């Protein structure tokens, strides 16, 4: 079985600064680093590190070869990442001494993924596979239609949140991931609480309060307590959680066990500084607290 992820790929450009710059201010950074990021890349790495076979469907520019190589090194299948004329997506992240940040995001190649590339990738899929999307690429509805037509389970991580984007794919979804704020925003837009959405499995992450899983077929809700850790950086924790849940399901775990494993992975992630490059692997999760 395989997870096919229609996902973003970004260069995360981190600038540590004495304070966040004011309008018109020129400010010298005290350090700089570049990492692999994008919600899609993060989820692909998480799924691969959780021992699933993950095929990434995406695009980079001529400046993105290093990102594709990094994904390969982390165990992600990259044959359906295409080269386009746009620059690779990137995020400029300024972080001050108190840990506050501001971010400028350039979507770039993430919004230029060819439809025929998605179709070619899904020609290798079958009904036992999972199709994953986030709101950082083009062709979400088209990809979901292709996957649903093949009988695949369609999963959507509704971030960065846009109610219209969620509603556009909602009729095709089997699994929906939201955080607490996104769940409130979607309810305001649709009038439907998470447990009343027309999606079989709705998973709401609650930060320090854990997570909830709503099975709308049975009408049951199960709460999962947070794993107690001291957070250092919450960046990528939600992406790690999503990748681990789907990897667990792909490997045949029941939903409760997949979420429990993902809770540990997300907790480990917040104790690390960085994004895709520091996502824990399955051994880290299995050894946690042991």
């Amino acid at each position: 079985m395989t997870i096919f992820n229609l996902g973003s790929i970004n260069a995360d450009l981190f600038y540590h600064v004495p304070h966040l710059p004011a309008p018109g201010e020129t400010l010298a950074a005290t350090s700089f680093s570049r990492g692999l990021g994008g919600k899609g890349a993060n989820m692909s790495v998480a799924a691969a590190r959780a021992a699933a076979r993950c095929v990434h469907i995406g695009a980079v520019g001529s400046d993105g070869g290093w990102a594709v190589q990094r994904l390969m090194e982390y165990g992600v299948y990259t044959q359906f990442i295409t080269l386009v004329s746009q620059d690779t997506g990137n995020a400029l992240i300024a972080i001050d001494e108190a840990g506050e940040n501001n971010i400028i995001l350039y979507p770039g190649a993430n919004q230029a993924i060819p439809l025929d590339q998605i179709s070619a990738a899904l020609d290798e899929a079958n009904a036992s596979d999972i199709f994953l999307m986030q709101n950082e690429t083009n062709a979400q509805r088209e990809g979901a239609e292709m996957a649903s037509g093949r009988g695949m389970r369609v999963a959507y991580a509704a971030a960065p949140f846009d109610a219209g984007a969620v509603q556009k794919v909602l009729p095709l979804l089997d699994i929906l991931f939201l955080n607490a704020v996104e769940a409130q925003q979607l309810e305001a837009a649709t009038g439907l609480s998470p447990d009343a959405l027309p999606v079989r499995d709705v998973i709401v992450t609650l930060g320090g309060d854990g997570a909830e899983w709503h099975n709308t077929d049975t009408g049951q809700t199960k709460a999962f307590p947070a794993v107690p850790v001291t957070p250092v950086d919450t960046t990528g924790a939600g992406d790690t959680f999503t990748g681990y849940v789907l990897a667990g399901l792909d490997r045949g775990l029941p939903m409760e066990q997949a979420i429990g494993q993902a809770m540990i992975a997300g907790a480990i992630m917040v104790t690390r500084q960085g994004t895709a490059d520091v996502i824990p692997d399955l051994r880290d999760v299995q050894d946690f607290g042991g």
Side-chain angles (χ1 to χ4, degrees):
M1 296 185 287
T2 301
I3 297 168
F4 290 84
N5 181 12
L6 174 62
S8 55
I9 302 170
N10 285 344
D12 283 348
L13 308 174
F14 295 96
Y15 296 83
H16 287 84
V17 292
H19 58 268
L20 296 182
E25 180 181 10
T26 299
L27 188 62
T30 57
S31 67
F32 165 78
S33 62
R34 181 184 71 175
L36 175 64
K39 300 190 76 61
N42 293 343
M43 291 179 193
S44 284
V45 172
R49 286 188 162 172
R53 182 178 188 269
C54 184
V55 173
H56 194 99
I57 309 168
V60 296
S62 59
D63 57 338
W66 69 273
V68 178
Q69 182 63 35
R70 192 79 59 84
L71 284 166
M72 290 176 62
E73 291 169 358
Y74 294 149
V76 177
Y77 289 79
T78 61
Q79 65 267 41
F80 294 106
I81 299 175
T82 190
L83 181 67
V84 296
S85 60
Q86 290 85 344
D87 290 332
T88 303
N90 62 77
L92 189 159
I93 306 165
I95 307 169
D96 70 13
E97 293 177 351
E100 293 294 329
N101 66 54
N102 60 29
I103 300 172
I104 299 172
L105 181 66
Y106 172 66
N110 295 318
Q111 291 293 330
I113 302 170
L115 288 178
D116 59 1
Q117 186 81 356
I118 303 170
S119 179
L122 295 185
D123 280 344
E124 299 189 358
N126 58 54
S128 66
D129 297 327
I130 295 171
F131 181 71
L132 169 63
M133 307 173 293
Q134 323 78 39
N135 190 29
E136 287 190 336
T137 71
N138 64 305
Q140 295 166 39
R141 173 75 189 202
E142 294 89 340
E145 288 175 345
M146 292 180 200
S148 183
R150 287 166 171 79
M152 302 170 70
R153 279 189 289 183
V154 179
Y156 188 68
F161 184 80
D162 177 87
V166 181
Q167 290 173 285
K168 195 171 181 179
V169 299
L170 199 61
L172 298 164
L173 301 183
D174 300 291
I175 307 172
L176 176 62
F177 294 87
L178 301 159
N179 65 29
V181 173
E182 292 159 355
Q184 292 172 354
Q185 292 173 325
L186 187 58
E187 183 170 355
T190 63
L192 298 173
S193 60
D195 58 353
L197 289 167
V199 180
R200 177 179 177 177
D201 294 301
V202 180
I203 300 170
V204 182
T205 56
L206 305 171
D209 293 325
E212 290 180 343
W213 165 43
H214 305 281
N215 184 318
T216 62
D217 278 2
T218 65
Q220 294 181 321
T221 294
K222 180 170 178 60
F224 296 80
V227 177
V229 293
T230 301
V232 171
D233 180 5
T234 61
T235 308
D239 302 336
T240 299
F241 176 87
T242 298
Y244 260 83
V245 169
L246 295 179
L249 296 177
D250 184 68
R251 295 190 346 259
L253 298 182
M255 180 66 83
E256 290 185 31
Q257 191 173 344
I259 293 176
Q261 183 172 269
M263 295 293 293
I264 296 172
I268 294 172
M269 184 63 178
V270 303
T271 67
R272 300 176 174 182
Q273 189 87 40
T275 45
D277 300 302
V278 298
I279 291 173
D281 63 24
L282 188 57
R283 177 167 294 182
D284 294 329
V285 172
Q286 293 172 337
D287 291 345
F288 182 82

